[in-house]
Amino acid sequence: MFWLGPLGTLRALPSPSLGGAPEMVPVRTGGLHRSITGRPTIDRLGIRRTWVLTWPYLDEDTHRWLSLLYAGLLGGPVWLLDPTAGNRLPVQVATAGSVEHGPEGFATAGTLTWQAAPVTPPDHPAPAGSGALTWTTAATGGGLLLTRSAVPILPGEPVTFAASVACTVPVALTAFVLNAADVVITTMSTTPATPDSSGARMRLTVPATDGAASVRPGLLLGQAATVTTSAWSLTSGPEPVGWSAGGGAAMVLIESMPWKYPVPGSFATTLTLLEV
C-alpha cells in the first residue's frame, strides 16, 4: 500500500488498477558522450525516481483530497512511502555514504570518512552495494552521529532502526522522535554495548508514539573513540528485516493528475509523482 501526504497526515492510497500496475522509473541525470572511436561514456550526476499510479474508479473523498494536495492547499513537503522498498532511509544513508563516496547525509561534531569495505558481522551476510563510515570523535564526552534529515513514519506505527557497528568501546543506537512541526517529542536509545572490532548487528525498536511524524536515527558514544558502521535501515514493525539499499520514503512533487469521469460519482486519474 502506498502512502502519500505531508508529515503527520500521510494517507493510504487506494489500490491502483490491476490493469495498470504501479510503475516506478529511475531517471538518471547525466550525459552520454562518445569518443572519436565511438566508445561511450556516461556522466551519472544523480538518479531520481518517477512513480505513475493509475485508478479507473476513485471515490469522491479521495478525489477531493488529491485535488487539494495537487493545488498545494494541504501544506508540504509531500512524502511518498513506497511499500516495495522496506528500508525508508535515503540510499546515501542506508549504504553508509556509498552513493557519493562520502559522509553527505550525516551530521556529527566528529570526523567522518568513507571506505569501500562494509562492516560484516559474524554470521551476517555482507551488504552488497554498501560501504562504511569511519567516525572519530575526540571529545571526552563522546558525541552523536545522526542522519541529517528525519524519515517519515505513520501514526501509531512502531519502527526498527538497525545498523552494523564495529567499535572497541561501548556504543548505543539512538533515535529522535519528532512531530509534524519537526519538534523532538522523545528520544530513545539502546543500552550501550561493545560490538568489538569484528562488528555486530545492533537494533533499536521505536514503539508507536502519540504525535510522532518522523524519526532521526543515529549512534551515540559516551567517550572519545572510533566507530566503523554500515548497512543502516529503518523499517516498519517491531522486528528488523533483511537489509536493503533504502529509498522507501521519498519527498515528491505532483507533476500531473488529469481527471476523467467514467460514471457519475466516480473519478479516474493517472497520478505522476517526481522525486525531489
Side-chain angles (χ1 to χ4, degrees), residues 1-16 53 55 57-66 69 74 78-83 88 153-155 157 271 273:
M1 180 181 293
F2 288 87
W3 292 74
L4 183 69
L7 279 179
T9 58
L10 279 87
R11 175 167 172 159
L13 296 176
S15 297
L53 308 176
W55 295 274
Y57 299 98
L58 270 180
D59 60 279
E60 186 173 355
D61 184 59
T62 303
H63 163 261
R64 182 184 304 109
W65 181 80
L66 284 174
L69 190 66
L74 299 182
V78 176
W79 287 88
L80 176 73
L81 301 188
D82 186 337
R88 291 190 191 160
I153 61 174
L154 301 174
E157 177 189 38
L271 180 65
L273 301 169

Side-chain angles (χ1 to χ4, degrees), residues 40-62:
T41 300
I42 293 178
D43 295 330
R44 187 180 66 183
L45 303 178
I47 296 176
R48 289 292 184 271
R49 295 165 290 176
T50 297
W51 287 267
V52 179
L53 308 176
T54 300
W55 295 274
Y57 299 98
L58 270 180
D59 60 279
E60 186 173 355
D61 184 59
T62 303

Side-chain angles (χ1 to χ4, degrees), residues 126-155:
S130 175
L133 290 172
T134 299
W135 172 40
T136 301
T137 175
T140 56
L144 273 170
L145 170 64
L146 290 169
T147 59
R148 191 167 294 278
S149 301
V151 181
I153 61 174
L154 301 174

Side-chain angles (χ1 to χ4, degrees), residues 135 143-145 161 165 169-175 188-195 202 204 218-222:
W135 172 40
L144 273 170
L145 170 64
F161 168 43
V165 184
V169 301
V171 62
L173 300 191
T174 189
M188 300 177 184
S189 301
T190 60
T191 300
T194 304
M202 302 178 69
L204 168 64
L219 302 183
L220 176 64
L221 270 175

Side-chain angles (χ1 to χ4, degrees), residues 164-250:
S164 295
V165 184
C167 187
T168 57
V169 301
V171 62
L173 300 191
T174 189
F176 290 84
V177 182
L178 301 91
N179 62 17
D182 284 336
V183 176
V184 176
I185 55 178
T186 188
T187 304
M188 300 177 184
S189 301
T190 60
T191 300
T194 304
D196 75 43
S197 58
S198 63
R201 191 71 176 161
M202 302 178 69
R203 51 172 280 193
L204 168 64
T205 296
V206 180
T209 305
D210 289 343
S214 64
V215 169
R216 192 179 177 194
L219 302 183
L220 176 64
L221 270 175
Q223 63 189 84
T226 296
V227 178
T228 304
T229 183
S230 69
W232 286 29
S233 67
L234 186 77
T235 54
S236 179
E239 297 294 332
V241 299
W243 179 83
S244 62

